[in-house]
Amino acid sequence: MAGIEIIFTLGFVTLAGILAIIFALLLSAWILKQPKGEKKISALSDRIYEGAMTFLNSEYKPLTGFVVIVAIIILLTSIPNQAAYAFIVGAFSSALAGNIGMRIATKSNSRAAVGAKEEISKGLKIGFSSGAVMGMMVVGLALVGLTVIWNFAPDPSIIIGFGFGASSIALFARVGGGIYTKSADMGADLVGKVEEKIPEDDPRNPAVIADNVGDNVGDVAGMGADLFESYAGSIISAITIGYAVTQNQVNIPILSGLGTKLILYPLLLAAFGVLAAMIATGLVRPGRGSDIGSLHSALNKGVFGSAIIMAIFAFLLTYKYLGVINPFYAMISGLAAGIVIGLASEYFTESRFGPTRSIAEASQTGPATNIVTGFSIGLSSTLIPVLAVCAAIGLSYYFAGLYGIPIAAVGMLSTLGMTLATDTYGPVNDNAAGIAEMGEMGSEVRERAEKLDAVGNTTAAIGKGFAIGSAALTSIALFAAYISKVGISPSLLSIQQPRVMIGLFIGGLLTFVFSALTMSAVGKGASAMVKEVRRQFKEMAGILEGETEPEYQRCIEISTNTGLRNMVLPGGLAIVVPIVVGLWNPQVLGGLLAGAIVTGLLLAITLANAGGAWDNAKKYIEEGNLGGKGSEAHAAAVTGDTVGDPFKDTSGPALNILIKVMSMVSLLFVPLFI
Amino acid sequence: MAGIEIIFTLGFVTLAGILAIIFALLLSAWILKQPKGEKKISALSDRIYEGAMTFLNSEYKPLTGFVVIVAIIILLTSIPNQAAYAFIVGAFSSALAGNIGMRIATKSNSRAAVGAKEEISKGLKIGFSSGAVMGMMVVGLALVGLTVIWNFAPDPSIIIGFGFGASSIALFARVGGGIYTKSADMGADLVGKVEEKIPEDDPRNPAVIADNVGDNVGDVAGMGADLFESYAGSIISAITIGYAVTQNQVNIPILSGLGTKLILYPLLLAAFGVLAAMIATGLVRPGRGSDIGSLHSALNKGVFGSAIIMAIFAFLLTYKYLGVINPFYAMISGLAAGIVIGLASEYFTESRFGPTRSIAEASQTGPATNIVTGFSIGLSSTLIPVLAVCAAIGLSYYFAGLYGIPIAAVGMLSTLGMTLATDTYGPVNDNAAGIAEMGEMGSEVRERAEKLDAVGNTTAAIGKGFAIGSAALTSIALFAAYISKVGISPSLLSIQQPRVMIGLFIGGLLTFVFSALTMSAVGKGASAMVKEVRRQFKEMAGILEGETEPEYQRCIEISTNTGLRNMVLPGGLAIVVPIVVGLWNPQVLGGLLAGAIVTGLLLAITLANAGGAWDNAKKYIEEGNLGGKGSEAHAAAVTGDTVGDPFKDTSGPALNILIKVMSMVSLLFVPLFI
């Protein structure tokens, strides 16, 4: 392929990225024009905004230090120098996407509440638009960053730097944000709901603002950084393996002779994905006076619509551009696996279905049976997703060799602009419900906001399926890239080799220890929060009577400090251990990555689904079933829900990042291992 | 080596086995001579005995069918016919060891209580002797069975049949017994302790006999069958790899020229282990009027004494018999790993140390923080054991190649006669405490029996360390034997192969699904038990007043049926899935075994230690700390303890068997896969 064609193709992809960014900015402008609400309401939103920004800003200080140090280390090693700059750009882009997405989310919450007061579909529109800002910023910045770097330095060793930069930010944002949000949530619930029996989001609860801030730093900024990483990672691993094919390091007969096209193809797929997602946002048009069912179907139209449009685009692109249709099948197997995983997690976590109902029923015999039932449901919920991942690996490899695996991941994430929008939509409306309660906007507004939140659950389940599935496929693709780059003879990587077996054990071990560290950090933070809330209730007269305003700021500080302090060790482990092990022996590191991916995926699904199922079992009882609120069964279900908080929102999602970041750091540091 | 020498050596090992059996019979006779207690007491013991035997007898019916069918399948395939007979002998021996051990355990419980009434050291002696009967029966029957089979059919493909027979019985005994015991325990506690606030082991509780029966079918018969399998499996895998060396299928330079000695060496190690254990039982001599400390040190002398004696024996044997000292180092690395794993689980589960204390403290903020803290401690408790296993793999391989790994496992288990004795000692005294309570023998006797139970905890932790560590090493050795026998080129077993990766995923998945199945069976059984107990309290007047005797038999039937019905699916999966996957593709099966071993070990340790720590956190509070019995913290800790029941006594131990049985079945069925 001629150089000019490459530049033209890259330019097209850059343009799609810029388009996504412009789209996001236009949506932001529209959101900011919506009424923010009367003084009391807007003040609440401002508080949440400030709390969230305080956390992000405090997080940036250590992260900047970390980025500078790692960049210097890269410069000092035999890794190409440009990788250090790509690393900085990747870190900056990821932080920027998260920052903008979260700013808009915290500006949207009161607007969504005010909108829902007017008309429920208005609430949906604002929440969804806010999510779309995040979604489009993520894909836009990633595409612009990747194409600009590839244009100046077409070398996989360099572009991996970009991915590692994104990974590092994602790691700390997910871990720190996850610990923040659940320390606040658990702390607020344990004293507020359990001890003092005041409702969720009650303004008398000193931890209530911290809890609402947490939804943003955890579920919005953390999720955005997570998927920025997966998105960039999947494309980078496809580029790396495509490049290896062009260099004849990997031999895939059916793709021979396609040359540079194999490198540009994943970028083009992503560019068309942006267009598909943009078109599909137009499908999310709830009519005025919509009921829940039609709101639900509006979001579904967006998610499934973008997938169908993308499938058509991908078919045409593959046929016209590559001339070989097989990679299209690989991409479709990824897309299908994502949907299957999403539907499976929906089945396991929604109270319409058996599993969650059985948790609710087990709550009637107390918290212990609630926990045992929920945990065993979490364990068994791994069956379908893991088989789906296996099928995606098998099929994509069958159709397009090693190149097929990252293409499946790219396929799964191609419509990320849309799936992330429906995911981020949830916490925005969760915040809106909180603001409705705290700002005493009346029970109708609160109920509407809660309904809107519930509507997002199904699409969020699909979104989470994509996040989990893509993390697995991306890591496997990066792992394959590591293996092909490190150049160890396959027989030395046989599972029969004690070194590989030891690596598998260490990899599995890391996921367990990492989960333990993040989970116990939440426990410690929640405990500190409980003590502070109890102190305020005791020492400051009039809080519970609603006459004195509690010191919200103190609780925000506790969450912030817990999050920042406790992200260092697990985050550091994820980065340092693969490097140390790789320096010791790259065979062991190969085993380590495989062990971490397998165990990490299993554990992540278990934690996410057990947590989701406990949450919805509690909601099911709160809807008036099995005795309803205030019953013994409800108390047991609240325990399960609280246990599930760090499972589903801290440790589970952090594991997705762990496996990606370890694969990424291994791939980047290969030059040091050989 | 001349044939006559081989026969002589085998005869020596057989003799050691027979000696162990005679020793066990003499101990039994001594126990049966001890006073059984007055009528009320001995009636309770009889009830427990009958309940336990009813379960075993009901279990034998489906198991006999299973054994016959599998034997026929083996006869119909290309596996050597004699393997079918070895399979039957293995199954029978394992069942016999469990049966005798449990008979004696259920005959010892009231005798231990009566003994403790007289003098606390007498209680220890009876409990320990009862455990030693089980320990010696297990090693004796295993050694006799293995040597007789090897004498007539010196072929690894045949002796594996013996191992598979033992595995099958162990699998169903552990799963069925584990579900039985925890259905009864949880059911009894949930209504008795939580709802009606009556003490543990109160005779008014209709589930109390089922609960005490459960201790025997789960912790005695299940544990015995489990370790019978590990013991036989480790020796068989050493024989298999030793045989492969003699056939030049495996090349280990340092061992070249040792010939048949490599096959007989593990048997000799085991024979000397029997002697070491027998000598060490003489060290367990608590003086009259002993305090807890000296009782404790009496048991410790037994465990550590046997290990030291064995180390000396092994050194001399290796030096004199093999002339190459390296396998001795491999054996020592296994023995050391077992002790390290045991000490680590002691650290994580005993209330003298930080982790369990922190669970107790977290109980002050309710059940949710108790659960989160306990679970995260379980996760982090994997660190030391897994590193110890890695070290044992690495060192034993370094010293003696592939042969070193099974030798490490044999080393770890060589003193099983002793470690199993201290393990089985626990449930016997647990039962004694129950009988003291139910038979109203006075609080002093109960306290003494409880102290005796507590004394056993430390040695039991060591014993559990050996069980977990040996399961991992034995499975790895069997896995290595599978790989060397199936003869796939190492490069096809590279972790880079998608088929291997898919295998790793499926193997990991199996451990999660298996745990879910066993755990949810306990949940269902406990729930049925709760309903039955509530029904009896409601419909039968006078139970709670102690005027009417509850229908104990109904509860026993519920546990029995739950155990038997729910062992079929998980047990079947463990056997059928490896065969089906192997028939599909032996590469995938290789990955499956590796994935299951790694993930299974991690999950087993997490479940065992989280459960142990919850249990002891509750006991710590019951000792009067943090508010003591009846406080909010205590209620929270009871929840944690109940959640931990199926973790530590059903799913956790069953995972140890799962990984062994899958490796064993794969190894046996290799002829069908190639």
Side-chain angles (χ1 to χ4, degrees):
Chain A
M1 199 156 57
I4 189 77
E5 266 185 71
I6 296 176
I7 291 173
F8 180 79
T9 313
L10 285 175
F12 170 77
V13 178
T14 315
L15 214 65
I18 293 173
L19 209 63
I21 295 171
I22 292 172
F23 191 82
L25 295 177
L26 291 175
L27 280 175
S28 306
W30 178 81
I31 292 168
L32 294 176
K33 262 192 291 182
Q34 304 307 311
K36 198 180 172 185
E38 47 180 294
K39 207 178 154 211
K40 191 175 174 188
I41 307 299
S42 75
L44 284 167
S45 176
D46 288 347
R47 261 207 173 114
I48 296 171
Y49 169 77
E50 281 154 25
M53 293 315 294
T54 306
F55 177 73
L56 274 202
N57 289 330
S58 327
E59 203 181 33
Y60 289 151
K61 278 174 220 156
L63 285 188
T64 308
F66 168 83
V67 168
V68 170
I69 291 169
V70 173
I72 292 172
I73 292 174
I74 295 174
L75 287 174
L76 292 175
T77 63
S78 52
I79 301 166
N81 278 354
Q82 295 105 308
Y85 309 127
F87 170 75
I88 294 171
V89 176
F92 181 77
S93 306
S94 167
L96 186 63
N99 190 306
I100 294 175
M102 208 189 69
R103 262 174 209 272
I104 292 301
T106 48
K107 296 274 181 204
S108 306
N109 47 18
S110 71
R111 291 177 168 89
V114 173
K117 190 175 180 180
E118 186 191 311
E119 167 67 51
I120 191 162
S121 65
K122 187 83 186 281
L124 180 129
K125 221 179 150 192
I126 293 172
F128 174 75
S129 302
S130 171
V133 170
M134 172 65 107
M136 290 300 172
M137 282 309 292
V138 163
V139 298
L141 286 170
L143 286 186
V144 171
L146 288 169
T147 48
V148 168
I149 291 173
W150 191 259
N151 189 42
F152 288 107
D155 176 353
S157 317
I158 292 164
I159 208 162
I160 292 159
F162 183 86
F164 182 54
S167 286
S168 308
I169 296 299
L171 178 68
F172 291 107
R174 236 336 175 189
V175 173
I179 295 171
Y180 184 115
T181 179
K182 293 301 131 175
S183 302
D185 191 4
M186 278 181 78
D189 286 355
L190 285 169
V191 189
K193 283 207 280 195
V194 180
E195 290 180 10
E196 303 292 343
K197 315 277 180 208
I198 57 177
E200 175 101 27
D201 291 324
D202 192 294
R204 291 171 292 174
N205 192 330
V208 71
I209 300 285
D211 184 9
N212 277 277
V213 169
D215 291 340
N216 290 290
V217 302
D219 300 344
V220 177
M223 174 68 106
D226 185 350
L227 286 163
F228 185 93
E229 179 199 19
S230 267
Y231 189 73
S234 66
I235 297 172
I236 290 170
S237 54
I239 288 176
T240 307
I241 293 175
Y243 185 84
V245 176
T246 66
Q247 304 294 306
N248 295 318
Q249 289 157 353
V250 170
N251 180 29
I252 305 169
I254 197 153
L255 303 177
S256 68
L258 287 175
T260 319
K261 282 189 174 175
L262 292 177
I263 297 167
L264 298 175
Y265 174 69
L267 288 165
L268 283 170
L269 271 182
F272 279 100
V274 168
L275 300 180
M278 248 185 261
I279 295 169
T281 52
L283 299 173
V284 184
R285 291 184 172 280
R288 285 185 74 84
S290 302
D291 61 349
I292 288 295
S294 60
L295 293 173
H296 200 158
S297 80
L299 282 183
N300 266 344
K301 270 183 201 160
V303 171
F304 291 100
S306 65
I308 292 166
I309 297 169
M310 182 57 203
I312 297 168
F313 281 173
F315 177 80
L316 294 173
L317 172 73
T318 313
Y319 188 70
K320 293 273 180 196
Y321 183 71
L322 290 187
V324 178
I325 201 66
N326 277 22
F328 169 74
Y329 299 132
M331 182 242 143
I332 289 292
S333 63
L335 201 60
I339 291 174
V340 168
I341 297 171
L343 293 175
S345 62
E346 201 185 325
Y347 172 74
F348 275 99
T349 59
E350 296 218 352
S351 58
R352 286 177 293 147
F353 303 106
T356 299
R357 287 273 169 97
S358 73
I359 297 177
E361 273 151 29
S363 307
Q364 293 172 291
T365 39
T369 37
N370 167 292
I371 300 289
V372 169
T373 308
F375 188 64
S376 74
I377 281 171
L379 289 170
S380 58
S381 76
T382 53
L383 183 65
I384 296 166
V386 172
L387 292 180
V389 167
C390 287
I393 296 172
L395 289 172
S396 60
Y397 186 81
Y398 173 77
F399 286 115
L402 212 52
Y403 186 67
I405 295 173
I407 291 299
V410 171
M412 204 186 258
L413 288 169
S414 53
T415 57
L416 184 67
M418 172 57 69
T419 45
L420 193 51
T422 56
D423 230 1
T424 313
Y425 158 95
V428 170
N429 274 297
D430 197 357
N431 254 237
I435 288 176
E437 176 77 27
M438 289 185 279
E440 289 156 352
M441 290 174 76
S443 63
E444 202 193 353
V445 179
R446 180 173 171 85
E447 272 167 28
R448 284 182 178 178
E450 278 181 353
K451 274 181 191 166
L452 285 168
D453 187 13
V455 164
N457 273 345
T458 311
T459 43
I462 303 278
K464 271 180 195 140
F466 279 60
I468 290 174
S470 68
L473 287 181
T474 303
S475 320
I476 292 167
L478 289 166
F479 162 69
Y482 162 79
I483 298 283
S484 85
K485 208 175 161 195
V486 82
I488 303 172
S489 122
S491 64
L492 288 179
L493 286 167
S494 160
I495 40 175
Q496 191 185 8
Q497 290 280 338
R499 282 190 181 137
V500 174
M501 200 71 197
I502 290 172
L504 288 172
F505 272 118
I506 297 177
L509 182 61
L510 277 173
T511 65
F512 273 59
V513 171
F514 185 84
S515 301
L517 288 172
T518 48
M519 210 174 276
S520 74
V522 172
K524 276 181 235 155
S527 193
M529 192 66 80
V530 164
K531 281 179 194 144
E532 172 61 23
V533 173
R534 282 183 185 160
R535 186 196 66 80
Q536 292 197 22
F537 281 150
K538 200 174 150 196
E539 294 179 6
M540 296 168 63
I543 291 186
L544 276 173
E545 295 72 30
E547 291 156 7
T548 313
E549 183 171 270
E551 294 179 5
Y552 299 123
Q553 197 55 36
R554 294 287 291 269
C555 293
I556 291 178
E557 280 161 20
I558 288 173
S559 274
T560 305
N561 292 336
T562 307
L564 293 179
R565 234 177 262 151
N566 290 294
M567 73 184 187
V568 179
L569 182 58
L573 272 183
I575 291 170
V576 173
V577 173
I579 298 177
V580 171
V581 171
L583 289 172
W584 167 38
N585 188 303
Q587 273 174 284
V588 179
L589 180 55
L592 183 153
L593 295 178
I597 292 168
V598 169
T599 315
L601 178 66
L602 286 162
L603 201 52
I605 297 171
T606 300
L607 296 176
N609 286 346
W614 274 317
D615 188 357
N616 286 327
K618 182 201 69 176
K619 285 185 182 149
Y620 176 73
I621 293 176
E622 286 177 349
E623 284 160 13
N625 301 296
L626 305 169
K629 273 193 184 179
S631 63
E632 287 282 316
H634 183 240
V638 167
T639 298
D641 178 40
T642 313
V643 169
D645 274 341
F647 277 43
K648 74 176 192 303
D649 294 322
T650 310
S651 303
L655 280 169
N656 287 340
I657 307 228
L658 176 75
I659 59 177
K660 286 180 286 178
V661 87
M662 293 206 302
S663 313
M664 196 79 86
V665 72
S666 305
L667 183 57
L668 179 67
F669 281 83
V670 161
L672 274 67
F673 306 153
I674 44 179
Chain B
M1 197 157 53
I4 189 77
E5 267 185 71
I6 296 176
I7 291 172
F8 181 79
T9 314
L10 285 175
F12 171 77
V13 178
T14 315
L15 214 64
I18 292 172
L19 209 62
I21 295 170
I22 293 171
F23 191 80
L25 296 177
L26 291 175
L27 280 177
S28 306
W30 178 80
I31 292 169
L32 295 176
K33 263 191 290 181
Q34 304 308 310
K36 199 180 172 184
E38 48 181 293
K39 205 177 156 212
K40 190 174 173 187
I41 308 299
S42 75
L44 284 166
S45 176
D46 288 347
R47 265 211 168 107
I48 296 171
Y49 169 76
E50 280 155 24
M53 292 316 293
T54 306
F55 177 73
L56 273 203
N57 289 330
S58 330
E59 203 181 33
Y60 289 151
K61 276 173 222 158
L63 284 188
T64 308
F66 168 82
V67 167
V68 170
I69 291 169
V70 172
I72 292 172
I73 291 174
I74 296 174
L75 287 174
L76 293 176
T77 62
S78 53
I79 301 166
N81 278 355
Q82 296 106 310
Y85 310 126
F87 169 75
I88 294 171
V89 175
F92 181 77
S93 305
S94 168
L96 184 64
N99 189 306
I100 295 175
M102 208 189 69
R103 263 173 209 272
I104 293 301
T106 47
K107 298 272 180 205
S108 306
N109 46 19
S110 70
R111 290 175 168 89
V114 173
K117 189 175 181 182
E118 184 191 313
E119 166 68 54
I120 190 161
S121 65
K122 187 83 185 283
L124 180 129
K125 221 179 151 193
I126 293 172
F128 174 75
S129 301
S130 171
V133 171
M134 171 66 105
M136 290 299 172
M137 282 309 293
V138 162
V139 298
L141 286 169
L143 286 186
V144 172
L146 288 169
T147 47
V148 169
I149 291 173
W150 190 259
N151 189 43
F152 289 106
D155 177 352
S157 316
I158 292 164
I159 208 162
I160 292 159
F162 183 87
F164 182 53
S167 286
S168 307
I169 296 299
L171 178 67
F172 291 107
R174 236 334 176 191
V175 173
I179 295 171
Y180 183 115
T181 178
K182 292 302 131 174
S183 301
D185 192 3
M186 279 180 79
D189 286 356
L190 285 170
V191 189
K193 282 207 281 194
V194 179
E195 289 180 11
E196 303 292 342
K197 315 278 179 206
I198 58 177
E200 175 102 26
D201 290 323
D202 192 294
R204 290 170 294 173
N205 192 328
V208 72
I209 300 285
D211 184 10
N212 277 278
V213 169
D215 290 341
N216 290 290
V217 302
D219 299 346
V220 178
M223 174 67 107
D226 184 351
L227 285 163
F228 185 94
E229 179 199 18
S230 268
Y231 189 73
S234 66
I235 296 172
I236 290 170
S237 54
I239 289 176
T240 307
I241 293 176
Y243 185 85
V245 175
T246 66
Q247 304 295 307
N248 295 319
Q249 289 157 353
V250 169
N251 180 29
I252 305 169
I254 197 153
L255 304 177
S256 68
L258 288 174
T260 319
K261 283 190 173 175
L262 293 177
I263 296 168
L264 299 174
Y265 175 67
L267 288 165
L268 283 170
L269 271 182
F272 278 101
V274 168
L275 301 180
M278 248 185 262
I279 296 168
T281 52
L283 300 173
V284 184
R285 293 185 172 280
R288 285 186 74 84
S290 301
D291 61 349
I292 288 294
S294 59
L295 293 174
H296 199 157
S297 79
L299 283 182
N300 266 344
K301 268 183 201 159
V303 171
F304 291 100
S306 65
I308 292 167
I309 297 169
M310 181 57 202
I312 297 167
F313 280 173
F315 177 80
L316 294 173
L317 172 74
T318 313
Y319 187 70
K320 292 274 181 194
Y321 183 72
L322 289 187
V324 178
I325 201 66
N326 277 20
F328 169 74
Y329 297 133
M331 182 240 142
I332 289 292
S333 63
L335 201 59
I339 291 174
V340 168
I341 297 171
L343 293 175
S345 62
E346 200 184 328
Y347 172 75
F348 275 100
T349 59
E350 297 218 350
S351 58
R352 286 177 293 147
F353 303 106
T356 299
R357 288 273 169 97
S358 73
I359 297 177
E361 273 151 29
S363 308
Q364 293 173 291
T365 40
T369 37
N370 167 292
I371 300 289
V372 169
T373 309
F375 188 65
S376 74
I377 281 172
L379 289 169
S380 59
S381 76
T382 53
L383 184 65
I384 296 166
V386 172
L387 291 181
V389 168
C390 287
I393 297 172
L395 289 172
S396 60
Y397 186 82
Y398 173 78
F399 285 115
L402 211 52
Y403 186 68
I405 296 173
I407 291 299
V410 172
M412 204 187 258
L413 288 169
S414 53
T415 57
L416 184 67
M418 173 56 70
T419 45
L420 193 50
T422 57
D423 231 0
T424 313
Y425 158 94
V428 171
N429 275 296
D430 198 355
N431 254 234
I435 288 176
E437 176 76 28
M438 290 184 278
E440 288 157 352
M441 290 175 76
S443 62
E444 202 192 354
V445 180
R446 180 172 171 86
E447 271 166 31
R448 282 182 180 178
E450 278 182 354
K451 272 181 191 167
L452 285 169
D453 186 15
V455 163
N457 274 345
T458 311
T459 42
I462 303 278
K464 271 180 193 138
F466 279 60
I468 290 174
S470 67
L473 287 181
T474 303
S475 320
I476 292 168
L478 290 166
F479 162 69
Y482 163 78
I483 297 283
S484 84
K485 207 175 163 195
V486 82
I488 304 171
S489 121
S491 64
L492 288 179
L493 286 168
S494 160
I495 41 175
Q496 191 185 6
Q497 291 278 339
R499 284 191 180 137
V500 174
M501 199 72 197
I502 289 172
L504 288 171
F505 272 117
I506 297 176
L509 181 61
L510 277 173
T511 65
F512 273 59
V513 171
F514 185 84
S515 302
L517 288 172
T518 48
M519 211 175 275
S520 74
V522 172
K524 276 181 237 154
S527 195
M529 192 65 82
V530 164
K531 280 178 196 144
E532 172 62 20
V533 173
R534 281 184 186 159
R535 185 195 67 79
Q536 292 197 21
F537 281 151
K538 202 175 149 197
E539 294 178 6
M540 297 169 62
I543 291 187
L544 275 172
E545 295 72 31
E547 292 156 7
T548 314
E549 183 172 89
E551 294 179 6
Y552 298 124
Q553 197 54 34
R554 293 287 292 268
C555 294
I556 291 179
E557 280 161 20
I558 289 174
S559 274
T560 304
N561 292 336
T562 307
L564 293 179
R565 235 177 260 152
N566 290 293
M567 74 185 187
V568 179
L569 182 59
L573 271 182
I575 291 170
V576 173
V577 172
I579 298 177
V580 171
V581 170
L583 289 171
W584 167 38
N585 188 304
Q587 273 175 285
V588 179
L589 180 54
L592 183 153
L593 295 177
I597 292 168
V598 169
T599 314
L601 179 66
L602 286 161
L603 201 53
I605 297 171
T606 300
L607 296 176
N609 286 345
W614 274 317
D615 187 358
N616 285 327
K618 182 201 70 175
K619 286 184 182 150
Y620 177 73
I621 293 176
E622 286 177 349
E623 285 161 11
N625 300 296
L626 304 170
K629 274 192 185 180
S631 63
E632 287 281 316
H634 182 240
V638 167
T639 298
D641 177 40
T642 313
V643 169
D645 274 341
F647 277 43
K648 72 176 192 303
D649 293 322
T650 311
S651 303
L655 280 169
N656 286 341
I657 307 228
L658 176 76
I659 59 177
K660 285 180 287 178
V661 86
M662 293 205 303
S663 313
M664 196 80 84
V665 72
S666 305
L667 183 56
L668 178 66
F669 281 83
V670 159
L672 274 65
F673 305 154
I674 44 181

